[in-house]
Amino acid sequence: MPSILESVLDANRRYALNFGDKKNLAMPPARRFAILTCMDARLDPAKFAGLNEGDAHVIRNAGGRASDDAIRSLVISYKLLGTREWFVIHHTDCGMETFTDEIMRGLLAKSLDHAVLESDGWHDRGSGSGTSEAQYIDWLTIRNQEESVVDDVQRLRRHPLVPPWIPIHGFLYDVRSGVLQPVAAASAIGAAK
Ligand code: ZN
């Protein structure tokens, strides 16, 4: 069985063989929109939103949250690269619903090994020592899926670096069906003015 590294490089060799016209793609996204979504491995924005190389910006982090760094990317996306419509897409069964700041800080204070999710929550099975460094990070966990979409669209809408003319749509992606479910309250807040 090939290593992770070998399998990635092998796939890349095959990809590059058929690279073709993609060498001519321009830097600004051709379809002029950006998606902010979760890093969850079950979500493939290129597939669920019909993207090809060069079409759109996809900004991903744990939860698809409107963190300071996500905002940095979105501002660059419109200001320098011409996007004019944004999507905030969270999803069902998100890992960010399974813990709180307190739990994450506790796990990392115990060890830097993998933690395990059991029916009663996360447990640290590692050995060695952890660190208190986790207390300085806001882990941006999620308590309610729709609420987190509304909160993030609201943060973007009110942000002084985000112009009022960019429509910001809120959605929940259903990991059981692949369907994008609209979050009406979020899109109402995110409407262009
Ligand atoms: Zn997620």
Side-chain angles (χ1 to χ4, degrees):
M1 187 147 160
S3 71
I4 291 173
L5 175 61
E6 284 164 352
S7 65
V8 167
L9 293 178
D10 185 51
N12 179 252
R13 274 187 287 272
R14 278 180 272 119
Y15 178 75
L17 277 178
N18 298 306
F19 202 62
D21 287 347
K22 290 193 277 289
K23 67 180 176 203
N24 299 319
L25 287 171
M27 186 194 294
R31 292 172 60 194
R32 306 278 194 99
F33 67 90
I35 292 174
L36 170 61
T37 195
C38 185
M39 68 184 189
D40 192 297
R42 294 168 292 182
L43 277 59
D44 186 340
K47 289 181 183 153
F48 76 62
L51 308 179
N52 289 312
E53 291 90 336
D55 275 353
H57 283 146
V58 179
I59 296 143
R60 302 186 74 166
N61 63 33
R65 304 307 312 268
S67 61
D68 288 349
D69 194 64
I71 291 171
R72 179 184 71 88
S73 296
L74 286 166
V75 170
I76 291 168
S77 173
Y78 92 81
K79 186 69 182 177
L80 303 181
L81 293 163
T83 60
R84 47 186 174 208
E85 196 157 333
W86 295 348
F87 295 76
V88 173
I89 304 175
H90 296 179
H91 66 98
T92 61
D93 195 38
C94 186
M96 299 299 282
E97 298 169 81
T98 65
F99 67 100
T100 60
D101 277 354
E102 199 185 357
I103 289 167
M104 188 60 161
R105 289 166 182 162
L107 292 168
L108 285 159
K110 283 192 181 136
S111 89
L112 301 184
D113 268 319
H114 295 141
V116 187
L117 183 58
E118 286 163 347
S119 57
D120 61 342
W122 286 99
H123 294 281
D124 194 87
R125 296 271 183 263
S127 53
S129 56
T131 169
S132 60
E133 192 63 28
Q135 67 185 298
Y136 300 103
I137 293 179
D138 181 343
W139 295 92
L140 301 174
T141 60
I142 291 174
R143 259 181 306 184
N144 176 288
Q145 291 161 0
E146 297 218 355
E147 244 174 59
S148 70
V149 177
V150 170
D151 287 350
D152 284 3
V153 169
Q154 185 150 275
R155 181 169 194 218
L156 294 172
R157 183 77 295 155
R158 290 178 177 169
H159 199 281
L161 296 175
V162 174
W165 50 263
I166 293 183
I168 309 168
H169 313 292
F171 285 92
L172 275 176
Y173 174 86
D174 185 334
V175 296
R176 301 276 166 249
S177 66
V179 171
L180 282 175
Q181 303 165 335
V183 179
S187 297
I189 291 166
K193 291 181 185 80

